[in-house]
């Protein structure tokens, strides 16, 4: 299962955002606490169910979602240099052909796959294998190989949508002086068609889904509808 995106790559990117307000996020936190889950777990389950509804999924393709891993979690203090690549990938969860009867079922299936790898050096194996296979090659060669690898996955229909948790916007750390900031979010960088990626960020008691798209490949209206369906699938109101 994927989010259908065309291959045309032209024009300027457009960003679509969908915000969940404080009251909604409080309800999500309460639901998550009862099931020993994180807000990210809920967002992943909601995205899978939203994608299934958007594509009118009938159990004819595997339910998959790729994600990114912030490797700063392994560094002392959780911080790295200002400019460095400290991200890796995980190609889970993969729920196969079973979405579950309701949101709680989907959430349980997501946690059954994600929890074990969270406790087992999440993201490092992929990065280490990639380094061992390509680390000695010139950068241009590595870039070409990665592009071809992802290109083949996309063309074969084997590239799942990607969702990345970009973290929380810390107003104290950023020193946002002056007028009180009531809303802030991070924008997920545009994915090159036909790939699709969206992101999740937080600010105080709000959450925001975002994605950058090229409307030559997918309309902003379709993306907005996907985010609305994800919102509808998440528990609470």
């Amino acid at each position: 299962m994927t989010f259908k995106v065309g291959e045309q790559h032209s024009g300027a990117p457009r960003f679509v955002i969908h915000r969940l307000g404080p009251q909604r996020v409080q309800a999500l936190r309460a639901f998550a606490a009862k099931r020993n889950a994180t807000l990210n777990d809920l967002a992943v389950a909601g995205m899978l169910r939203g994608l299934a509804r958007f594509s009118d999924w009938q159990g004819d393709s595997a339910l998959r979602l790729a994600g990114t891993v912030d490797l700063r979690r392994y560094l002392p203090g959780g911080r790295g240099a200002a400019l460095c690549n400290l991200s890796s990938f995980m190609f889970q969860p993969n729920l196969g052909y079973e979405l579950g009867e309701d949101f709680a079922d989907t959430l349980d299936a997501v946690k059954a796959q994600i929890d074990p790898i969270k406790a087992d050096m999440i993201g490092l194996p992929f990065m280490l294998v990639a380094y061992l296979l390509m680390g000695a090659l010139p950068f241009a060669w590595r870039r070409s190989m990665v592009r071809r690898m992802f290109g083949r996955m996309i063309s074969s229909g084997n590239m799942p949508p990607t969702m990345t948790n970009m973290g929380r916007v810390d107003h104290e750390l950023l020193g946002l002086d002056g007028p009180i900031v009531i809303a802030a979010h991070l924008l997920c960088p545009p994915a090159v068609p036909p790939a699709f990626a969206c992101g999740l960020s937080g600010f105080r008691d709000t959450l925001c889904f975002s994605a950058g798209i090229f409307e030559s490949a997918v309309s902003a209206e379709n993306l907005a509808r996907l985010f609305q369906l994800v919102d509808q699938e998440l528990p609470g109101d």
Side-chain angles (χ1 to χ4, degrees), residues 134 138-151:
M134 298 187 294
F139 175 74
W141 290 18
R142 281 181 280 162
R143 181 175 61 182
S144 177
M145 291 174 66
V146 170
R147 285 180 172 175
R148 280 186 290 174
M149 177 183 71
F150 281 97

Side-chain angles (χ1 to χ4, degrees), residues 15-19 166-167 169 181 183-188 200-203 206-210:
F15 293 92
V16 178
I17 65 172
H18 185 92
R19 192 182 309 277
M166 298 177 290
V169 179
V181 179
H185 56 266
L186 297 172
L187 293 174
C188 184
L200 181 71
S201 63
F203 179 73
T206 66
L207 289 175
C208 184
F209 290 94
S210 70

